[in-house]
Amino acid sequence: MNDITLQNPSTSMQPDARTLPVLTPYEQIGGESAVRALVTRFYELMDALPETRDVRRMHAEDLSGAAEKLFLFLSGWFGGPNLYVERFGPPFLRARHLPFSIGAAERDQWMLCMSQALAEVVTDAELRAKLQQSFAALADHMRNRIEHAAPVRIQQPL
């Protein structure tokens, strides 16, 4: 009699998708140092580009406080440590931005800086595109000035 046993497909050596680690965007872009690099470049661009003057005027002269808060927020938003919530509580982003008049122009200026920073910091094209879409939706949600409907204009990085 042959002593052949067929392996049960459920116990094969194939990797089980349920046990494979799922990397967060925070891990995919390189963790804390990459998030800091993204935020640093974002604010450098906002400070330097003349076409972002309206959104730049909404910020304090010293951008370090805004940069730190954006870093803390993005850390958790990207799936890393939830630093902003630990320090300040729920972000309530739209409510925190209500004191500023934000329309399509300011949204697009903000997106110009973020798109360029993403292009320079995030090397994975697929991840960069997903992040850009998420940022575009977030930036559009921040609009609080009544205007005609204007789709998000994502300018190509310089």
Side-chain angles (χ1 to χ4, degrees):
M1 186 157 208
N2 286 340
D3 209 21
I4 298 174
T5 306
L6 294 176
Q7 188 172 12
N8 180 339
S10 66
T11 61
S12 73
M13 297 302 291
Q14 293 296 318
D16 184 349
R18 292 172 291 169
T19 61
L20 292 177
V22 176
L23 295 178
T24 64
Y26 181 85
E27 295 165 319
Q28 288 178 299
I29 67 170
E32 179 181 348
S33 62
V35 176
R36 282 204 184 275
L38 179 67
V39 169
T40 297
R41 187 61 183 138
F42 170 80
Y43 280 111
E44 287 171 352
L45 290 161
M46 184 183 289
D47 215 21
L49 297 174
E51 58 268 39
T52 63
R53 67 187 169 280
D54 296 330
V55 76
R56 175 61 180 95
R57 275 189 234 140
M58 294 179 178
H59 294 76
E61 186 175 331
D62 178 1
L63 291 170
S64 61
E68 182 63 11
K69 283 185 177 177
L70 182 59
F71 163 74
L72 295 172
F73 171 74
L74 290 182
S75 177
W77 198 59
F78 285 166
N82 215 354
L83 304 173
Y84 187 94
V85 172
E86 291 170 7
R87 200 147 153 205
F88 301 105
F92 300 119
L93 288 180
R94 193 154 197 283
R96 292 185 192 270
H97 288 80
L98 284 176
F100 308 99
S101 177
I102 302 171
E106 293 79 15
R107 174 204 59 200
D108 293 345
Q109 291 172 27
W110 193 93
M111 278 304 301
L112 175 64
C113 297
M114 187 52 74
S115 295
Q116 182 65 36
L118 285 168
E120 295 178 23
V121 175
V122 180
T123 57
D124 181 304
E126 185 177 340
L127 175 62
R128 187 172 53 248
K130 287 178 183 177
L131 292 176
Q132 185 145 336
Q133 287 178 336
S134 294
F135 277 122
L138 181 63
D140 196 52
H141 180 68
M142 294 298 107
R143 290 177 51 213
N144 58 26
R145 188 170 63 230
I146 298 174
E147 303 176 304
H148 66 337
V152 178
R153 264 188 32 227
I154 299 177
Q155 297 179 356
Q156 293 302 315
L158 306 173

